[in-house]
Amino acid sequence: MTDWIAAAAALTPQTGLFIDGAFRPAADGASFETIAPRDGSVIAEISSGGEADVDAAVRAAARAFESGVWSRADRRERQRVLVRLADLMLENLDELALLEAHDSGHPISDARNVDVPTAARVFRWYAEALDKVSDEVAPTPENALALVTREPLGVVGAVVPWNYPLIISSWKLAPALATGNSVVLKPAELTSLSALKLAELAAEAGLPDGVLNVVPGLGRVAGQALGRHPLVDKVTFTGSPAVGRGFLTYAGESNGKQVALELGGKSPQLVLADAPDLAAAASAIAWGIFYNAGQTCHGGSRLIVDERVHDALLEEVVKVGRSLVQGDPLDAATQLGTIASATQLDRVLGYVDVARVEGATVIGGRRVRPAGLEDGFYVEPTIFDGVDNAGRIGQEEIFGPALAVTTVRGAEEGVRVANDSAYGLAASVWTGSVTTAHNVAKRLRAGTVWINTFDVADVITPFGGFKQSGSGRDRSLHAFDAYTALKTTWIDLGDGSL
Ligand code: NAP
Ligand code: MG
């Protein structure tokens, strides 16, 4: 068994900007601290990319793209490098997992069992898919042949949040790189360490210089510079709705680059009176909101439950919540880690006050200060019962381990309340009737609908939102379309004579 605390103390993470195949400080020497949410201590000083650094990274990416070293490389070569990267991620499983857990507050067991293996699988999956998908031949008249091929866009800017740094980065980088693009990644300020390690491993795997650049920095500086850069062909963004809309403005005011947005959610879990197994539902509902301390964009943050099963279900959900082992993310037994930052901790606790003002019954809702980790960012599993879906607790994304419970009667009212949201990322319905399940699933306005389960997913299916949850889709083979442009090549075949 590893002593993760000792291993964390011994870490010597990369802290520079990774541009054109090498680590370097910011042009103006700026840096920022990255904090360990387990105890609020400083892990490292990270170089803070400015406009000049983003420009250097984008130009390196554009040069690499133009050179063809990656963009026109044989797809089997791209495949080989990205499969090697997936292998290297697993060979470096402990270090990558530790960087992720220490920097973000994810429990180390989740980082080892979920974050790193999932991200590695995403790279492997897109690499392996490269020689299994064909382009098209159009149904032309007999005197012509028209090929419809997918070509890389050029330079892709990826801007990601702090809640799943490695997984969300892999959703964007893997299909973008597999299809031959060059990428500039701006990780979240709170969690840059795993992205810098990923850059190092990508270079070791044989990715040519300039093809992947990682520029940590402040969102309004480095993120904005990427969004406004005229040589960036596409920005793929995951984060908050406000910043996402900012990228649309940046694009409109610069070169009209493509923008794909994956924004937040307020995902409803609708439990109907005929739900077959309330204990199973309760377990999935509790994990669906408390996993990663509720910092999951599609987290099932609203429980919409038929009044006939409310009491029995809630009792079970509370039981599961109380059974979770909360504590030090660097303890392998921990199931519930921390909130990512002091700011986010205050935000979550602020919503506990809002819930009380709005008349909800609050179960939990307190900050936890584990012995020796008193300055860490821990909140106990929290349930707000009796929530009016139209209020702030029903409508606003809390992004913490807090479940809002609203009672309804019947599927019709349940669907109406579930859809009464600006968001539409995910939803679930729990029912014993296959007909009701399908009819409710069709009516739920969400990019993913789960039936009698929650939060099962894989790279094989698309992920993204309806309504204000965004316009882009990560994952699945459809992501190849997101990072390529269609080209028509029309060939004249004359009158058919030989
Ligand atoms: P955020 O503030 O929108 O930040 C996301 C990224 O954008 C970060 O890299 C951030 O940099 C950068 N950024 C911030 N302000 C910027 C600006 N003015 N211009 C350009 N870039 C800027 O979101 P967050 O607080 O990290 O993440 C939580 C939110 O993201 C939640 O609302 C959550 O629901 C959503 N989310 C959605 C999904 C999804 O798949 N739909 C997944 C995860 C999270 P800094 O780190 O320096 O601020
Ligand atoms: Mg951190």
Side-chain angles (χ1 to χ4, degrees):
M1 203 166 133
T2 312
D3 181 347
W4 294 106
I5 298 173
L11 278 173
T12 50
Q14 292 289 356
T15 56
L17 316 174
F18 188 77
I19 296 175
D20 210 7
F23 287 97
R24 55 157 101 161
D28 64 2
S31 66
F32 62 87
E33 291 176 340
T34 195
I35 304 288
R38 65 184 285 270
D39 62 358
S41 64
V42 176
I43 304 175
E45 282 274 334
I46 300 196
S47 299
S48 187
E51 225 175 290
D53 302 302
V54 169
D55 183 59
V58 171
R59 286 182 192 282
R63 263 196 319 274
F65 185 81
E66 290 303 324
S67 78
V69 61
W70 182 253
S71 54
R72 294 194 298 278
D74 191 291
R75 67 181 66 228
R76 281 171 185 75
E77 169 62 7
R78 297 204 301 264
Q79 192 171 49
R80 192 189 62 73
V81 169
L82 295 175
V83 166
R84 179 77 190 120
L85 173 57
D87 289 341
L88 282 172
M89 290 172 74
L90 297 181
E91 285 168 27
N92 289 269
L93 173 69
D94 281 350
E95 186 183 345
L96 264 179
L98 183 58
L99 288 167
E100 194 82 328
H102 198 30
D103 209 9
S104 71
H106 287 206
I108 183 73
S109 296
D110 290 342
R112 283 189 91 250
N113 297 329
V114 183
D115 296 87
V116 179
T118 301
R121 168 166 162 74
V122 171
F123 279 102
R124 189 182 311 279
W125 194 83
Y126 282 106
E128 287 178 346
L130 270 179
D131 63 357
K132 296 167 189 68
V133 181
S134 300
D135 285 329
E136 298 164 20
V137 176
T140 51
E142 278 307 307
N143 65 355
L145 174 66
L147 309 178
V148 181
T149 52
R150 290 175 178 78
E151 298 203 355
L153 297 173
V155 178
V156 171
V159 179
V160 298
W162 41 259
N163 56 341
Y164 292 95
L166 272 176
I167 291 177
I168 294 177
S169 297
S170 74
W171 289 350
K172 299 177 184 312
L173 267 50
L177 292 172
T179 45
N181 296 280
S182 295
V183 176
V184 178
L185 169 65
K186 207 298 277 177
E189 203 177 310
L190 298 176
T191 54
S192 301
L193 295 179
S194 59
L196 293 170
K197 182 68 190 177
L198 189 66
E200 188 186 305
L201 295 178
E204 190 182 336
L207 197 68
D209 292 352
V211 174
L212 172 62
N213 308 272
V214 178
V215 184
L218 310 188
R220 63 179 185 282
V221 179
Q224 174 158 202
L226 200 51
R228 290 188 181 277
H229 203 292
L231 295 181
V232 172
D233 296 283
K234 173 163 191 158
V235 164
T236 172
F237 171 82
T238 296
S240 61
V243 176
R245 287 181 206 163
F247 276 96
L248 294 173
T249 302
Y250 304 155
E253 290 179 357
S254 57
N255 61 342
K257 59 178 65 66
Q258 295 182 34
V259 178
L261 301 177
E262 309 267 5
L263 308 175
K266 190 79 186 176
S267 302
Q269 297 231 43
L270 175 56
V271 181
L272 300 180
D274 68 343
D277 182 346
L278 286 186
S283 175
I285 287 161
W287 278 105
I289 182 62
F290 299 136
Y291 185 76
N292 199 24
Q295 301 160 108
T296 302
C297 43
H298 62 271
S301 51
R302 286 187 297 149
L303 170 58
I304 297 164
V305 56
D306 191 287
E307 60 188 13
R308 287 160 285 190
V309 290
H310 168 276
D311 293 357
L313 181 71
L314 203 62
E315 189 181 324
E316 288 293 319
V317 174
V318 170
K319 226 187 274 174
V320 179
R322 292 208 168 121
S323 76
L324 301 179
V325 180
Q326 178 164 30
D328 189 348
L330 298 188
D331 181 339
T334 292
Q335 295 175 298
L336 182 58
T338 69
I339 304 294
S341 69
T343 310
Q344 187 67 14
L345 174 73
D346 288 345
R347 211 172 96 88
V348 173
L349 295 173
Y351 275 110
V352 177
D353 299 333
V354 174
R356 289 208 172 90
V357 170
E358 291 188 344
T361 304
V362 177
I363 305 167
R366 284 166 306 197
R367 180 175 181 179
V368 180
R369 296 181 187 270
L373 303 171
E374 288 81 1
D375 293 334
F377 314 139
Y378 304 82
V379 178
E380 64 186 337
T382 298
I383 294 170
F384 304 135
D385 193 17
V387 167
D388 174 0
N389 189 71
R392 288 185 60 196
I393 294 296
Q395 294 292 319
E396 296 179 14
E397 187 173 48
I398 298 174
F399 228 55
L403 178 67
V405 184
T406 302
T407 306
V408 293
R409 190 173 178 91
E412 195 65 45
E413 187 187 358
V415 167
R416 188 170 48 70
V417 174
N419 283 338
D420 177 17
S421 172
Y423 293 108
L425 193 52
S428 76
V429 56
W430 298 79
T431 169
S433 157
V434 103
T435 312
T436 307
H438 280 289
N439 285 331
V440 169
K442 279 204 225 172
R443 294 261 302 276
L444 288 170
R445 300 268 296 145
T448 297
V449 176
W450 284 291
I451 296 174
N452 293 338
T453 187
F454 196 78
D455 199 14
V456 279
D458 186 37
V459 63
I460 57 175
T461 52
F463 177 76
F466 282 36
K467 301 195 276 186
Q468 291 183 33
S469 288
S471 55
R473 289 291 180 277
D474 286 317
R475 305 200 318 229
S476 85
L477 289 179
H478 295 286
F480 279 158
D481 291 325
Y483 296 102
T484 52
L486 293 177
K487 174 180 280 185
T488 298
T489 306
W490 190 286
I491 305 153
D492 178 43
L493 295 182
D495 62 5
S497 54
L498 303 180

